[in-house]
Amino acid sequence: MAAIARDFKTLRLDQVSRRFGSVNALEDVTLEVERGEFIALLGPSGCGKSTALNCLAGLLQLTDGSIWLDATRIDGLKPEARGFGMVFQNYALFPHMSVRKNIAFGLRMQGRDRASIARKVEEGLALVHLETQGDKLPGQLSGGQQQRVAIARAIVIEPPLVLMDEPLSNLDAKLRLEMRGEIRRIHDSVGSTTIYVTHDQDEALSLADRVVVMRAGRVRQVGSPGELYARPAHADVAEFMGFRNLLAVPVARAGGGEAEITLGGARLKGTPVEALLDGTATVAIRPDDLVPGPDGPIRATAATVEYRGRDFFGTARMADGTELYFRSAARVEPGEALRLGADAARVLIYSGAKP
């Protein structure tokens, strides 16, 4: 397939804000995206990620700030003048048009000649592996196939940027996994620049070159999937990234890049992520990292246990009633006494009370 038009080096959001009445849906969002990157906007419902995407697309006007492609300011342009490709959550296909006609729609709007349109439609069908489905109507396709049609329609117009708004949320678990790989393959094949909105951490980590975590309309952290997974910069980011054990604790000792906290009467070593102040701190531990062992400092009783193929995951309660999430390679029974522990590098400690 012909290369996508990549006639920019940097997309820049400069202190972008969007208000709806008294509600700040976006507040001072600043972000740079390099050509060819795959960026995931990640966060819970209402954090502003879809609002940011719609502002990029031109579907929403900015309240403050600006958007730039290199030295060209684009936030005043209409959506069609920006020429971005967009893939929606609900596919947004024309039900009365064949797959070929759906893919051709944007090309016709660009005024391409018939031969060029026909050639690009066939290239698009081949790219999304739907060569034999071109004459069908969308209603005759599976959800995954419909989403492939939507992706083909977005990329055949050779946009400088492809915007995807939770495109997999309507698919079942198996299809979501399959489509993840397809979306990244297509991104790499055409060399596109993609901004992808999701609330699913696994999606963001598996697809993106960089992840932008948002909360309450603000950017909380930008980093590689590895950085976000291993070392969230703030306690609220850790909570969203799967650190289900998020507890307020007193700091017993800190210094030399390590700290010691008190958790349910047990002393536990950890790694400060921020400078720790006197008083309460927040400890964050993934369930995967909190495991039973003969020398585990935390005494608890197993409450619930689930078998998940290779390991057992469950909850355990300490004597003071605090609930912890843990993983065990060996079978654990409810009511069983456990001694839980985690490597100090996996016990992250943040300043202040839990979010």
Side-chain angles (χ1 to χ4, degrees), residues 198-224:
T198 182
H199 63 272
D200 187 309
Q201 300 95 319
D202 288 341
E203 258 180 42
L205 294 175
S206 64
L207 282 170
D209 299 313
R210 287 191 298 150
V211 179
V212 179
V213 180
M214 299 185 66
R215 184 186 186 197
R218 290 182 174 272
V219 172
R220 293 295 287 157
Q221 186 175 356
V222 182
S224 70

mmCIF file of all heavy atoms in Angstrom, residues 198-224:
data_model
loop_
_atom_site.group_PDB
_atom_site.id
_atom_site.type_symbol
_atom_site.label_atom_id
_atom_site.label_comp_id
_atom_site.label_asym_id
_atom_site.label_seq_id
_atom_site.Cartn_x
_atom_site.Cartn_y
_atom_site.Cartn_z
ATOM 1 N N THR A 198 -8.245 4.577 25.370
ATOM 2 C CA THR A 198 -8.701 3.352 26.010
ATOM 3 C C THR A 198 -8.760 3.523 27.523
ATOM 4 O O THR A 198 -8.055 4.354 28.089
ATOM 5 C CB THR A 198 -7.787 2.156 25.652
ATOM 6 O OG1 THR A 198 -8.301 0.968 26.252
ATOM 7 C CG2 THR A 198 -6.365 2.381 26.140
ATOM 8 N N HIS A 199 -9.618 2.719 28.156
ATOM 9 C CA HIS A 199 -9.621 2.651 29.624
ATOM 10 C C HIS A 199 -8.992 1.345 30.089
ATOM 11 O O HIS A 199 -8.935 1.076 31.283
ATOM 12 C CB HIS A 199 -11.058 2.747 30.163
ATOM 13 C CG HIS A 199 -11.920 1.596 29.733
ATOM 14 N ND1 HIS A 199 -12.623 1.604 28.556
ATOM 15 C CD2 HIS A 199 -12.162 0.397 30.304
ATOM 16 C CE1 HIS A 199 -13.271 0.455 28.431
ATOM 17 N NE2 HIS A 199 -13.012 -0.296 29.479
ATOM 18 N N ASP A 200 -8.513 0.539 29.137
ATOM 19 C CA ASP A 200 -7.983 -0.793 29.417
ATOM 20 C C ASP A 200 -6.455 -0.742 29.496
ATOM 21 O O ASP A 200 -5.776 -0.500 28.504
ATOM 22 C CB ASP A 200 -8.437 -1.754 28.312
ATOM 23 C CG ASP A 200 -8.081 -3.203 28.595
ATOM 24 O OD1 ASP A 200 -6.905 -3.475 28.901
ATOM 25 O OD2 ASP A 200 -8.964 -4.071 28.477
ATOM 26 N N GLN A 201 -5.915 -0.996 30.691
ATOM 27 C CA GLN A 201 -4.463 -0.906 30.874
ATOM 28 C C GLN A 201 -3.718 -1.901 29.994
ATOM 29 O O GLN A 201 -2.660 -1.587 29.445
ATOM 30 C CB GLN A 201 -4.100 -1.166 32.353
ATOM 31 C CG GLN A 201 -4.725 -0.194 33.327
ATOM 32 C CD GLN A 201 -6.010 -0.732 33.918
ATOM 33 O OE1 GLN A 201 -6.818 -1.334 33.221
ATOM 34 N NE2 GLN A 201 -6.210 -0.499 35.207
ATOM 35 N N ASP A 202 -4.245 -3.114 29.877
ATOM 36 C CA ASP A 202 -3.577 -4.128 29.063
ATOM 37 C C ASP A 202 -3.489 -3.689 27.603
ATOM 38 O O ASP A 202 -2.461 -3.892 26.947
ATOM 39 C CB ASP A 202 -4.316 -5.467 29.155
ATOM 40 C CG ASP A 202 -4.136 -6.142 30.506
ATOM 41 O OD1 ASP A 202 -3.176 -5.779 31.208
ATOM 42 O OD2 ASP A 202 -4.947 -7.012 30.855
ATOM 43 N N GLU A 203 -4.561 -3.095 27.099
ATOM 44 C CA GLU A 203 -4.552 -2.584 25.723
ATOM 45 C C GLU A 203 -3.469 -1.539 25.546
ATOM 46 O O GLU A 203 -2.682 -1.582 24.599
ATOM 47 C CB GLU A 203 -5.906 -1.939 25.385
ATOM 48 C CG GLU A 203 -6.809 -2.800 24.548
ATOM 49 C CD GLU A 203 -8.120 -2.112 24.248
ATOM 50 O OE1 GLU A 203 -8.129 -0.899 23.944
ATOM 51 O OE2 GLU A 203 -9.151 -2.786 24.328
ATOM 52 N N ALA A 204 -3.444 -0.585 26.458
ATOM 53 C CA ALA A 204 -2.470 0.499 26.350
ATOM 54 C C ALA A 204 -1.043 -0.027 26.414
ATOM 55 O O ALA A 204 -0.179 0.369 25.619
ATOM 56 C CB ALA A 204 -2.710 1.530 27.453
ATOM 57 N N LEU A 205 -0.780 -0.927 27.355
ATOM 58 C CA LEU A 205 0.577 -1.438 27.534
ATOM 59 C C LEU A 205 1.025 -2.277 26.344
ATOM 60 O O LEU A 205 2.199 -2.260 25.962
ATOM 61 C CB LEU A 205 0.664 -2.269 28.816
ATOM 62 C CG LEU A 205 0.462 -1.502 30.132
ATOM 63 C CD1 LEU A 205 0.458 -2.471 31.299
ATOM 64 C CD2 LEU A 205 1.523 -0.434 30.336
ATOM 65 N N SER A 206 0.106 -3.023 25.743
ATOM 66 C CA SER A 206 0.486 -3.924 24.654
ATOM 67 C C SER A 206 0.598 -3.213 23.316
ATOM 68 O O SER A 206 1.318 -3.675 22.427
ATOM 69 C CB SER A 206 -0.525 -5.074 24.539
ATOM 70 O OG SER A 206 -1.809 -4.589 24.181
ATOM 71 N N LEU A 207 -0.082 -2.085 23.151
ATOM 72 C CA LEU A 207 -0.131 -1.421 21.845
ATOM 73 C C LEU A 207 0.826 -0.242 21.719
ATOM 74 O O LEU A 207 1.418 -0.032 20.657
ATOM 75 C CB LEU A 207 -1.559 -0.915 21.573
ATOM 76 C CG LEU A 207 -2.589 -1.935 21.121
ATOM 77 C CD1 LEU A 207 -3.985 -1.316 21.145
ATOM 78 C CD2 LEU A 207 -2.271 -2.440 19.726
ATOM 79 N N ALA A 208 0.960 0.551 22.769
ATOM 80 C CA ALA A 208 1.525 1.889 22.627
ATOM 81 C C ALA A 208 3.044 1.941 22.751
ATOM 82 O O ALA A 208 3.664 1.119 23.439
ATOM 83 C CB ALA A 208 0.902 2.822 23.660
ATOM 84 N N ASP A 209 3.632 2.930 22.069
ATOM 85 C CA ASP A 209 5.033 3.279 22.307
ATOM 86 C C ASP A 209 5.156 4.098 23.590
ATOM 87 O O ASP A 209 6.092 3.931 24.361
ATOM 88 C CB ASP A 209 5.576 4.109 21.133
ATOM 89 C CG ASP A 209 5.525 3.349 19.829
ATOM 90 O OD1 ASP A 209 5.947 2.181 19.813
ATOM 91 O OD2 ASP A 209 5.064 3.917 18.819
ATOM 92 N N ARG A 210 4.182 5.001 23.780
ATOM 93 C CA ARG A 210 4.112 5.775 25.020
ATOM 94 C C ARG A 210 2.659 5.820 25.479
ATOM 95 O O ARG A 210 1.736 5.851 24.669
ATOM 96 C CB ARG A 210 4.638 7.203 24.829
ATOM 97 C CG ARG A 210 6.144 7.297 24.696
ATOM 98 C CD ARG A 210 6.610 8.744 24.786
ATOM 99 N NE ARG A 210 6.054 9.555 23.704
ATOM 100 C CZ ARG A 210 5.783 10.861 23.801
ATOM 101 N NH1 ARG A 210 5.989 11.497 24.947
ATOM 102 N NH2 ARG A 210 5.307 11.520 22.760
ATOM 103 N N VAL A 211 2.479 5.870 26.800
ATOM 104 C CA VAL A 211 1.152 5.917 27.402
ATOM 105 C C VAL A 211 1.005 7.248 28.133
ATOM 106 O O VAL A 211 1.906 7.664 28.868
ATOM 107 C CB VAL A 211 0.935 4.748 28.374
ATOM 108 C CG1 VAL A 211 -0.455 4.825 29.011
ATOM 109 C CG2 VAL A 211 1.120 3.411 27.659
ATOM 110 N N VAL A 212 -0.144 7.893 27.917
ATOM 111 C CA VAL A 212 -0.471 9.144 28.602
ATOM 112 C C VAL A 212 -1.599 8.834 29.572
ATOM 113 O O VAL A 212 -2.726 8.541 29.160
ATOM 114 C CB VAL A 212 -0.914 10.231 27.603
ATOM 115 C CG1 VAL A 212 -1.263 11.524 28.335
ATOM 116 C CG2 VAL A 212 0.169 10.471 26.556
ATOM 117 N N VAL A 213 -1.305 8.857 30.868
ATOM 118 C CA VAL A 213 -2.324 8.573 31.876
ATOM 119 C C VAL A 213 -2.990 9.884 32.276
ATOM 120 O O VAL A 213 -2.306 10.855 32.634
ATOM 121 C CB VAL A 213 -1.712 7.890 33.115
ATOM 122 C CG1 VAL A 213 -2.800 7.612 34.160
ATOM 123 C CG2 VAL A 213 -1.042 6.589 32.713
ATOM 124 N N MET A 214 -4.333 9.891 32.221
ATOM 125 C CA MET A 214 -5.087 11.106 32.517
ATOM 126 C C MET A 214 -6.000 10.881 33.712
ATOM 127 O O MET A 214 -6.467 9.775 33.959
ATOM 128 C CB MET A 214 -5.907 11.530 31.299
ATOM 129 C CG MET A 214 -5.069 11.843 30.082
ATOM 130 S SD MET A 214 -6.042 12.482 28.690
ATOM 131 C CE MET A 214 -6.588 14.066 29.370
ATOM 132 N N ARG A 215 -6.233 11.970 34.421
ATOM 133 C CA ARG A 215 -7.179 11.945 35.538
ATOM 134 C C ARG A 215 -7.761 13.334 35.703
ATOM 135 O O ARG A 215 -7.018 14.320 35.724
ATOM 136 C CB ARG A 215 -6.497 11.508 36.832
ATOM 137 C CG ARG A 215 -7.476 11.369 38.006
ATOM 138 C CD ARG A 215 -6.753 11.078 39.294
ATOM 139 N NE ARG A 215 -7.695 10.803 40.372
ATOM 140 C CZ ARG A 215 -7.384 10.831 41.655
ATOM 141 N NH1 ARG A 215 -6.152 11.119 42.026
ATOM 142 N NH2 ARG A 215 -8.281 10.570 42.573
ATOM 143 N N ALA A 216 -9.096 13.412 35.779
ATOM 144 C CA ALA A 216 -9.798 14.670 36.018
ATOM 145 C C ALA A 216 -9.353 15.765 35.056
ATOM 146 O O ALA A 216 -9.159 16.916 35.449
ATOM 147 C CB ALA A 216 -9.597 15.126 37.466
ATOM 148 N N GLY A 217 -9.185 15.391 33.783
ATOM 149 C CA GLY A 217 -8.867 16.372 32.755
ATOM 150 C C GLY A 217 -7.409 16.757 32.644
ATOM 151 O O GLY A 217 -7.049 17.580 31.803
ATOM 152 N N ARG A 218 -6.560 16.173 33.459
ATOM 153 C CA ARG A 218 -5.136 16.515 33.457
ATOM 154 C C ARG A 218 -4.273 15.304 33.106
ATOM 155 O O ARG A 218 -4.658 14.169 33.361
ATOM 156 C CB ARG A 218 -4.707 17.052 34.831
ATOM 157 C CG ARG A 218 -5.265 18.424 35.162
ATOM 158 C CD ARG A 218 -4.737 18.893 36.511
ATOM 159 N NE ARG A 218 -5.124 20.255 36.808
ATOM 160 C CZ ARG A 218 -4.413 21.324 36.444
ATOM 161 N NH1 ARG A 218 -3.267 21.159 35.785
ATOM 162 N NH2 ARG A 218 -4.819 22.538 36.739
ATOM 163 N N VAL A 219 -3.109 15.583 32.548
ATOM 164 C CA VAL A 219 -2.121 14.539 32.294
ATOM 165 C C VAL A 219 -1.355 14.292 33.582
ATOM 166 O O VAL A 219 -0.748 15.200 34.145
ATOM 167 C CB VAL A 219 -1.152 14.949 31.165
ATOM 168 C CG1 VAL A 219 -0.009 13.937 31.044
ATOM 169 C CG2 VAL A 219 -1.895 15.056 29.840
ATOM 170 N N ARG A 220 -1.389 13.034 34.048
ATOM 171 C CA ARG A 220 -0.702 12.694 35.291
ATOM 172 C C ARG A 220 0.684 12.118 35.050
ATOM 173 O O ARG A 220 1.590 12.295 35.862
ATOM 174 C CB ARG A 220 -1.546 11.698 36.097
ATOM 175 C CG ARG A 220 -2.831 12.274 36.607
ATOM 176 C CD ARG A 220 -2.580 13.367 37.603
ATOM 177 N NE ARG A 220 -2.120 12.848 38.883
ATOM 178 C CZ ARG A 220 -1.420 13.531 39.774
ATOM 179 N NH1 ARG A 220 -1.042 14.770 39.515
ATOM 180 N NH2 ARG A 220 -1.060 12.989 40.925
ATOM 181 N N GLN A 221 0.859 11.380 33.957
ATOM 182 C CA GLN A 221 2.176 10.813 33.650
ATOM 183 C C GLN A 221 2.221 10.419 32.187
ATOM 184 O O GLN A 221 1.227 9.952 31.624
ATOM 185 C CB GLN A 221 2.475 9.593 34.534
ATOM 186 C CG GLN A 221 3.902 9.053 34.369
ATOM 187 C CD GLN A 221 4.219 7.932 35.344
ATOM 188 O OE1 GLN A 221 3.413 7.597 36.204
ATOM 189 N NE2 GLN A 221 5.389 7.333 35.203
ATOM 190 N N VAL A 222 3.375 10.608 31.576
ATOM 191 C CA VAL A 222 3.638 10.157 30.211
ATOM 192 C C VAL A 222 4.900 9.300 30.257
ATOM 193 O O VAL A 222 5.919 9.722 30.806
ATOM 194 C CB VAL A 222 3.856 11.342 29.244
ATOM 195 C CG1 VAL A 222 4.085 10.827 27.824
ATOM 196 C CG2 VAL A 222 2.663 12.298 29.279
ATOM 197 N N GLY A 223 4.824 8.104 29.700
ATOM 198 C CA GLY A 223 6.004 7.254 29.716
ATOM 199 C C GLY A 223 5.819 6.019 28.870
ATOM 200 O O GLY A 223 4.744 5.771 28.315
ATOM 201 N N SER A 224 6.873 5.243 28.757
ATOM 202 C CA SER A 224 6.797 3.984 28.026
ATOM 203 C C SER A 224 5.938 3.003 28.820
ATOM 204 O O SER A 224 5.744 3.174 30.036
ATOM 205 C CB SER A 224 8.196 3.402 27.835
ATOM 206 O OG SER A 224 8.710 2.958 29.087
#
